[in-house]
Amino acid sequence: MTGAPVGRADALTSWHADWTGLRVAVLGLGVTGFSVADTLTELGARVLVVAEKAKQEYIDLVPVIGAALVQAPAGEIPAELEAHEPELLVVSPGYHPDDPLLLWAAERGIPVWGDVELAWRVRDKVVDAVTGRPAEWIAVTGTNGKTTTTQLAASMLLAGGHRVAPCGNIGIPVLDAIRDPEGFDVLVVELSSYQLHSTSSMSAHSAVVLNVAEDHIDWHGSFEAYAAAKARVYDAVQVACVYNKADELTMRMVEEAEVVEGARAIGFGLGVPGPSDFGVVEGILVDRAFLDERRDSALEIATVTELAARGLAAPHTVADVLAAAALARAYGVSIEAIRAALASFTLDRHRIEHVVTAGGITWVDDSKATNPHAAAASLKAYPSIVWIVGGLLKGVDVDPFVRDSLAGARSPVRAVVVIGVDRAELGDAIRRHAPGLPLFEVDHAETSDVMADAVALAAAVASSGDVVLLAPAAASMDQFTDYADRGDRFAAAVRKHVGGTDGDDDLPAPDPQAGR
C-alpha cells in the first residue's frame, strides 16, 4: 500500500493542511460530485470518481482536473475502487445510507463525508484580509421553504452591505462558494436532510429548521431518522438557533442541541411574538428579539399588505420572511436594510406562481410543493380551490395529510384532479375522507398528455372565484424531468386552454391570516 496512513482524513480540518496523496473515492458525478472531485484534486489528493452515469461534460473534465473515473452499475463494487484502497469516501446526496458502496466502506472503517463536511473543513481557503477569518455560515433547512428563506436571508444580508453568497442545496455547490477567489463575509447555506446526514463538524453562526414533516422516508428509512438529520443543523451553533413556534419538534431540537455557550433561541410565528421572537401583530411583521426594550416594544419589519404587493403574503411565505429576518438580524443587519430587501424580492418560479386569470378563474403553479407539508401550506392560502395533485409519493403516508386537508366543512377544496403513478393511493384516501368531493383521475402514461387532460378536467369543474392550484404533494420524476418541467407543462396547458390570453382579472391575494 502506498500513500497516506490510514486515519489521516479525520485530522484534516483546514485547506492549508497536507492533503497530498490522500486516497479519496468520490461517489457521484453531478454538480456536487464534480465540485468535490475538483476541490480534492486542487488539494493534492488522489481522486477516483465512481458513478453510474453522468453528463458528458463532467466525464470529459474528470481527467482534465487530474482525477480518474470508473462508471459502474448501481450496487456494484468496481474492482478499480477496491484497488484504489480509499482512506475517505465523499458521497453525493443521492446515495441512500444503505447503498452497497457505503456498506462496503463501513465494513472497512472508511470515513464517509458529504460535500458540506468537506467544505466546512476547508472553508479557510479564502479569509478576510483584516480579520483573517473565513466566511461565516448561516444554515437553513426544513421540509419546506428552504430555498425561499435562503434567498430572502441572502438578499437581506446583501442589502446590509455584506458580501454574501446563497449556496448548497439551492444549486450552487458550497465548495464552489468557499473557493471563490474574491471571498465572502457570509454564506447562506441551504441544507437538505441528505447533506446533513453526512455532516458532523459544522458550527454555523446561526441556523434554522423551518418545519419538519414526513418527507424522504424512502431515503432515511423512518421519520425519526429524517428528523434527526435535520436536527444536526443546530449542533455547535454560535449565535442564534431560529425555530418555528408552530412546529413543536423544531423547538425540541433547539432544546436538545449542544450549542456554543451564549447562543440564543429565537422563535418565529404568525401570531403575536414573545420577547425573544419574530411574529405578526395586527398585520405588521415585527422583531421582538434584537432590541434592548424587547419586553415592552418591537421593531416593525413590514406590513402584510406590503408583502402582498410582492406576492409574499401567503401564510407559509410570511413565515419564511420572519425566519429570514431573524437570521439576518442575528448577523447584525439593520431593520432598514431588511425593509429594502423585501421591497425588491420576488419568489422563484413554480412557487405559488400566478399563471393566468381568465373568466374569473385563477390558475396557480406551485409545482415546487413536492411533499404533503408544502401542499398543505398552499391549500391554506386560497378560499376556494380546484386542486391538481399527485406524482411520486416517496414512501410518505398521505392518509393523514388528505384527512386534514379535505375532511370537514372548512376545507377550501371543491374538487380534486389526481395525476401520477401513485394516484391510486391518493384516490383511495380522498374517497375515504371526502366521499362526496368530485374526484377525477388522469391515467395517461405519456407525459405530453398529462397536463392537457388535468387542465381540461379542472376547467370543467371550476367556477368564477376559484383557484385551480397545482400543488402536487409529490415528486415529479414519475412523469416529468423535474418539478420545473411539471410546472412549465402545466402553465403551457393552461395558456393553451384559455386561448393565450393574459387574463381579465387580478390574482386574488392569499389570506395571510389563514394559516394562523
Side-chain angles (χ1 to χ4, degrees):
M1 180 185 296
T2 60
V6 173
R8 177 181 166 199
D10 288 338
L12 297 173
T13 58
S14 168
W15 182 275
H16 306 288
D18 184 9
W19 297 75
T20 307
L22 185 75
R23 298 185 305 279
V24 187
V26 176
L27 304 187
L29 189 57
V31 173
T32 299
F34 182 78
S35 73
V36 170
D38 193 30
T39 300
L40 287 165
T41 53
E42 186 177 352
L43 284 163
R46 295 171 52 198
V47 178
L48 174 68
V49 180
V50 180
E52 181 182 4
K53 55 187 177 182
K55 292 182 178 179
Q56 190 61 47
E57 61 182 297
Y58 291 140
I59 293 173
D60 293 343
L61 283 170
V62 167
V64 174
I65 64 174
L69 170 66
V70 56
Q71 293 183 262
E76 179 179 303
I77 310 299
E80 293 91 337
L81 176 62
E82 298 208 49
H84 190 61
E85 296 183 324
E87 300 160 281
L88 171 67
L89 258 68
V90 183
V91 60
S92 297
Y95 284 78
H96 285 221
D98 60 354
D99 187 282
L101 288 166
L102 297 182
L103 296 178
W104 175 86
E107 290 171 357
R108 287 155 180 77
I110 302 170
V112 176
W113 301 348
D115 68 304
V116 175
E117 177 68 17
L118 175 62
W120 179 259
R121 288 169 178 255
V122 299
R123 69 193 185 283
D124 60 348
K125 181 180 191 294
V126 180
V127 298
D128 184 88
V130 176
T131 67
R133 293 174 55 84
E136 299 275 14
W137 286 25
I138 292 175
V140 179
T141 194
T143 302
N144 294 298
K146 295 185 295 295
T147 298
T148 298
T149 303
T150 299
Q151 293 171 332
L152 279 163
S155 68
M156 293 170 183
L157 287 155
L158 182 64
H162 300 289
R163 298 172 301 159
V164 58
C167 58
N169 193 55
I170 199 170
I172 302 167
V174 65
L175 282 164
D176 288 356
I178 64 104
R179 291 186 296 154
D180 188 298
E182 296 299 318
F184 298 98
D185 300 322
V186 57
L187 306 179
V188 185
V189 187
E190 179 185 323
L191 296 169
S192 70
S193 58
Y194 306 157
Q195 291 170 312
L196 286 164
H197 176 83
S198 302
T199 302
S200 59
S201 300
M202 185 178 68
S203 177
H205 174 278
S206 299
V208 64
V209 179
L210 296 166
N211 42 62
V212 186
E214 281 202 6
D215 198 15
H216 304 300
I217 305 305
D218 54 346
W219 196 94
H220 289 279
S222 69
F223 176 73
E224 291 72 20
Y226 169 68
K230 291 291 190 187
R232 288 189 175 198
V233 78
Y234 290 129
D235 290 348
V237 159
Q238 301 170 37
V239 174
C241 294
V242 180
Y243 68 93
N244 186 346
K245 294 178 65 179
D247 190 325
E248 185 178 347
L249 182 52
T250 68
M251 185 185 305
R252 292 205 306 270
M253 288 176 176
V254 172
E255 292 171 346
E256 296 169 4
E258 293 291 337
V259 301
V260 173
E261 185 175 354
R264 294 176 59 189
I266 307 293
F268 70 90
L270 299 181
V272 175
S276 191
D277 300 334
F278 285 65
V280 181
V281 180
E282 298 180 350
I284 302 172
L285 282 69
V286 298
D287 166 8
R288 284 194 68 190
F290 295 100
L291 68 163
D292 292 338
E293 304 83 14
R294 61 180 181 269
R295 296 201 174 275
D296 52 18
S297 61
L299 298 174
E300 179 178 335
I301 298 169
T303 67
V304 171
T305 301
E306 290 167 344
L307 294 183
R310 305 296 308 166
L312 303 174
H316 56 295
T317 309
V318 173
D320 293 343
V321 170
L322 291 166
L327 294 169
R329 292 286 287 154
Y331 198 75
V333 175
S334 70
I335 289 289
E336 292 74 21
I338 289 172
R339 289 177 186 151
L342 290 173
S344 61
F345 186 84
T346 56
L347 289 171
D348 270 357
R349 293 201 57 222
H350 311 296
R351 174 65 79 189
I352 54 173
E353 180 181 3
H354 177 216
V355 177
V356 68
T357 302
I361 299 168
T362 296
W363 301 78
V364 175
D365 167 16
D366 199 19
S367 183
K368 202 171 183 181
T370 58
N371 55 60
H373 189 269
S378 292
L379 291 173
K380 293 175 182 176
Y382 303 101
S384 185
I385 296 169
V386 176
W387 182 23
I388 300 176
V389 61
L392 189 65
L393 293 175
K394 301 177 289 185
V396 172
D397 177 11
V398 294
D399 193 80
F401 158 64
V402 171
R403 178 197 63 217
D404 294 343
S405 299
L406 301 183
R410 297 186 63 184
S411 171
V413 179
R414 293 185 54 250
V416 183
V417 178
V418 182
I419 64 174
V421 296
D422 290 334
R423 62 185 179 277
E425 185 177 344
L426 273 166
D428 289 346
I430 293 166
R431 294 184 189 94
R432 183 161 51 252
H433 294 293
L437 191 69
L439 173 64
F440 308 91
E441 292 190 20
V442 176
D443 60 5
H444 278 300
E446 293 297 323
T447 296
S448 58
D449 298 327
V450 172
M451 283 306 176
D453 278 15
V455 166
L457 288 167
V461 72
S463 301
S464 180
D466 284 343
V467 170
V468 178
L469 175 67
L470 172 66
S476 56
M477 288 80 74
D478 56 335
Q479 294 178 314
F480 306 94
T481 304
D482 51 27
Y483 74 80
D485 177 46
R486 178 170 60 189
D488 287 340
R489 289 177 182 272
F490 169 72
V494 169
R495 292 191 176 98
K496 184 175 181 180
H497 177 82
V498 301
T501 177
D502 287 334
D504 53 15
D505 304 296
D506 293 328
L507 174 68
D511 179 1
Q513 304 301 317
R516 290 185 63 175

